[in-house]
Amino acid sequence: MQTIRTAKAMRAWSAAHHCEGVTIGLVPTMGALHAGHRALIRAARLSCDAVVVSLFVNPTQFGPTEDFSRYPRKLKADAALCAKEGVDLLFAPPVSEVYPDGFQTTVSVTKLARRWEGEFRPGHFEGVATIVTKLCSLVRPQIAFFGQKDFQQSVLVRRLVEDLNLGTRVVVCPTVRDDDGLALSSRNQSLTPTQRRAVPVLYAALRAGQAAVRAGIRSATRIRRLMRDKIATEPLARVEYLSVCDPRTLEPLSRITRDAVLLGAIRLGHVRLIDNLLVRRDH
Ligand code: AMP
């Protein structure tokens, strides 16, 4: 497995592989890899000739009071996991390589970034859209792999690659969870044992919402209330948002008359966790 740290070398690698007609799969990550990332790598390995994993803790998607400096960095363990999974290339540039002095161009996806994560993390999606655009233009993957765990991000990235004609197909892979339902996340490592015992309440709330839809409840207000009541059983957790929305536009629904997505974010002390579940009208 090769490691590249500069934009110039990344471009050269990509050009050489394109010349040979190789299908390049990109898995963008911020490192501290876990089984969720591994599932994306495996999906890429199955459908692409060459797999590139980017490891980059992107400062522009963190707000000024967020956990950029505390975000876990585990380059050695990440490289070992990637090598074991048959990754061809690690792209791990330093911040100065991605955002050199004088950098001032950003990408923003307007409507899809406005609500939910966008409301609680101003500027976050502009950082995400900018880094995804840069990675796609450097790596030039035919396919890029994202996780459903970050649902709003996946919808926004699909829009972005289409709007900017980036020539990359977006594949979204299912959320990988711990046995108790908690969606795997690099941020889970920051939880204290007490918080860790409390956090499955988010998935439990989404499941309660999903069960209500399956039982025939159509009012989004009732479903949101049910989810809120579930979170309220866990005194350590504070709700940031719980919503019932259209999975394509991410606009809130008042009644479930078609497919929907339940989105949730909670906070426990310094740690913020998000999760989601798709619900189908016919369930
Ligand atoms: P991150 O390193 O957290 O920026 O995540 C990199 C990619 O992995 C994103 O596309 C995430 O949606 C995806 N991902 C993170 N956690 C999970 C998970 N538990 N299951 C599936 N994909 C995930």
Side-chain angles (χ1 to χ4, degrees):
M1 186 177 69
Q2 202 183 334
T3 300
I4 283 180
R5 295 187 189 281
T6 67
K8 191 173 169 206
M10 187 62 246
R11 266 193 184 293
W13 185 97
S14 170
H17 283 72
H18 273 278
C19 275
E20 288 170 17
V22 164
T23 306
I24 301 172
L26 170 66
V27 181
T29 82
M30 297 206 299
L33 302 181
H34 51 65
H37 300 110
R38 192 191 295 134
L40 303 187
I41 293 169
R42 287 184 179 172
R45 189 66 285 165
L46 278 177
S47 55
C48 302
D49 302 319
V51 176
V52 178
V53 172
S54 61
L55 295 176
F56 181 64
V57 185
N58 177 33
T60 63
Q61 70 187 70
F62 288 79
T65 60
E66 291 184 4
D67 54 352
F68 175 68
S69 55
R70 278 179 283 127
Y71 199 85
R73 288 161 172 85
K74 311 202 159 175
L75 187 58
K76 234 175 160 180
D78 291 347
L81 184 149
C82 288
K84 192 160 168 239
E85 294 299 324
V87 168
D88 298 277
L89 175 68
L90 273 189
F91 179 46
V95 172
S96 58
E97 188 67 23
V98 178
Y99 300 112
D101 277 351
F103 185 90
Q104 54 185 287
T105 304
T106 59
V107 178
S108 67
V109 181
T110 53
K111 273 196 207 148
L112 287 171
R114 221 169 268 159
R115 295 181 188 275
W116 321 125
E117 287 304 281
E119 189 184 332
F120 284 86
R121 305 185 68 188
H124 169 68
F125 283 126
E126 196 165 312
V128 170
T130 303
I131 191 65
V132 170
T133 305
K134 283 174 72 77
L135 288 171
C136 285
S137 86
L138 286 170
V139 179
R140 293 168 54 209
Q142 282 89 343
I143 316 180
F145 297 81
F146 292 84
Q148 190 195 318
K149 199 227 140 225
D150 298 276
F151 190 85
Q152 187 173 9
Q153 170 175 281
S154 71
V155 175
L156 185 137
V157 167
R158 274 191 200 286
R159 184 80 251 164
L160 162 75
V161 299
E162 194 177 326
D163 288 353
L164 297 185
N165 309 101
L166 296 183
T168 297
R169 184 157 70 84
V170 172
V171 170
V172 179
C173 300
T175 304
V176 177
R177 300 177 181 282
D178 262 342
D179 291 342
D180 58 5
L182 176 67
L184 297 185
S185 162
S186 309
R187 290 192 166 93
N188 294 352
Q189 303 173 16
S190 318
L191 296 165
T192 65
T194 315
Q195 289 172 332
R196 175 61 189 83
R197 281 191 292 276
V199 286
V201 76
L202 176 55
Y203 181 60
L206 296 169
R207 288 293 298 253
Q210 187 184 52
V213 178
R214 287 180 179 166
I217 297 177
R218 294 288 168 256
S219 153
T221 309
R222 275 187 72 188
I223 293 161
R224 271 203 317 274
R225 197 180 313 131
L226 263 167
M227 296 195 290
R228 232 165 235 286
D229 289 349
K230 185 73 196 176
I231 303 278
T233 63
E234 180 41 73
L236 292 180
R238 208 182 73 219
V239 173
E240 289 208 333
Y241 60 81
L242 285 166
S243 63
V244 181
C245 349
D246 182 302
R248 284 159 294 268
T249 64
L250 303 179
E251 291 297 309
L253 297 172
S254 53
R255 287 191 67 73
I256 300 188
T257 54
R258 51 185 188 273
D259 292 352
V261 62
L262 309 179
L263 300 177
I266 59 170
R267 185 179 274 284
L268 290 92
H270 289 307
V271 189
R272 208 179 159 271
L273 298 174
I274 61 171
D275 201 351
N276 66 86
L277 271 183
L278 281 163
V279 290
R280 305 216 182 278
R281 172 79 170 85
D282 49 4
H283 275 177

